[in-house]
């Protein structure tokens, strides 16, 4: 009898070990796939501005545009714009890398979140205009103080608004608002874009994860790093990131942070 029980337990343990091993391999396989598509995405994204800049510079030389100030300015403007894009992309990857290595030193201070949101929205004016989108901050008269790293929190808000803009069709509406409940501040970023299927709602916060489908709106370039960065920063502040969404009904990304209250 003892022999039977111990054999059964051994069998159970072996099955459990196999199951865990297969799961681990599956996760690693998924991770390797995600990393590969990240590398090809990034290579593509870096190549595009580099070739645009080289073509612009070659043209300046080939067609002696030094003597044609108007055309010269046009080509220089294109090059400058592409360089800025390149710089922003590289910074995004480096920031993420720092976070992953736990190197990023957060500098905590006490600040009101609303002016931070106003600044982020102000910085996005050109993109908002290009897409003819209504980006609205539902202001409140009272300040909402948090203790955190203003730069990283501002990057988080930027990423969430940037995604709302990227994935929504033009002429849509994005609403940013703050609310307080249970000593916690919720900042909500609501769009009426394509929405996210329930099966992907946790995965979108994973490193490199992107949703691929035939839908044009989702066929936007990206790195799959933005939401992972959001999650990491918010968690380093003792908060969490959340998502309510339904396909075809838009998305509501939320970050929930401890509210600073005196005494
Ligand atoms: P990226 O935008 O660079 O792909 P993110 O980590 O920011 O990376 O987003 C991961 C994925 O989540 C995106 O590829 C996209 O499919 C989906 N996603 C993010 N934000 C939205 C949104 N507001 N509406 C619809 N889909 C979104």
């Amino acid at each position: 009898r003892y022999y039977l029980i111990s054999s059964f337990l051994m069998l159970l343990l072996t099955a459990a070990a196999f199951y865990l091993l297969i799961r681990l391999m599956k996760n690693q396989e998924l991770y390797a796939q995600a990393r590969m598509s990240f590398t090809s995405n990034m290579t593509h994204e870096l190549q595009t501005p580099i070739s645009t800049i080289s073509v612009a510079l070659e043209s300046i030389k080939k067609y002696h545009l030094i003597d044609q100030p108007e055309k010269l300015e046009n080509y220089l403007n294109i090059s400058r714009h592409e360089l800025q894009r390149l710089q922003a992309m590289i910074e995004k990857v480096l920031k993420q890398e720092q976070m992953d290595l736990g190197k990023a030193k957060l500098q905590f201070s006490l600040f009101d979140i609303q002016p931070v949101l106003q600044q982020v929205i102000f910085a996005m004016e050109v993109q908002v205009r290009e897409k003819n989108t209504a980006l609205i901050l539902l202001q409140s008269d009272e300040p909402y103080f948090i203790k955190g790293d203003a730069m990283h929190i501002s990057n988080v808000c930027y990423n969430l608004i940037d995604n709302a803009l990227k994935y929504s069709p033009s002429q849509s509406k994005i609403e940013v608002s703050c609310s307080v409940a249970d000593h916690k501040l919720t900042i909500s970023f609501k769009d009426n874009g394509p929405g996210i299927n329930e099966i992907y709602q946790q995965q979108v916060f994973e490193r490199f994860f992107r949703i691929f489908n035939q839908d044009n709106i989702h066929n936007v370039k990206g790195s799959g790093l933005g939401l992972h960065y959001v999650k990491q920063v918010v968690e380093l502040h003792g908060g969490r990131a959340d998502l309510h969404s339904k396909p075809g009904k838009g998305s509501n990304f939320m970050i929930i942070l401890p509210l600073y209250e005196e005494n």
Side-chain angles (χ1 to χ4, degrees), residues 139-241:
Q139 297 254 36
S140 152
D141 289 339
E142 51 176 324
Y144 295 118
F145 280 104
I146 57 169
K147 242 186 185 166
D149 186 308
M151 197 248 316
H152 283 290
I153 292 292
S154 146
N155 289 339
V156 161
C157 300
Y158 181 93
N159 280 1
L160 292 172
I161 300 176
D162 189 43
N163 275 351
L165 266 170
K166 262 195 326 192
Y167 296 105
S168 302
S170 54
Q171 291 181 325
S172 52
K173 188 172 154 192
I174 301 165
E175 245 176 44
V176 182
S177 61
C178 298
S179 60
V180 168
D182 204 15
H183 310 287
K184 290 189 181 85
L185 168 71
T186 299
I187 314 168
S188 150
F189 303 83
K190 213 163 153 185
D191 65 52
N192 47 18
I196 297 174
N197 195 308
E198 209 181 328
I199 53 168
Y200 299 129
Q201 287 183 14
Q202 287 305 312
Q203 280 173 292
V204 288
F205 291 101
E206 281 171 21
R207 199 178 181 207
F208 305 133
F209 186 83
R210 307 197 70 224
I211 302 168
F212 287 100
N213 60 17
Q214 301 307 312
D215 185 356
N216 269 342
I217 296 162
H218 266 58
N219 215 355
V220 182
K221 285 183 202 152
S223 58
L225 290 177
L227 288 178
H228 184 63
Y229 172 79
V230 166
K231 183 172 184 281
Q232 277 184 309
V233 171
V234 172
E235 285 176 0
L236 283 171
H237 282 77
R240 65 186 174 89

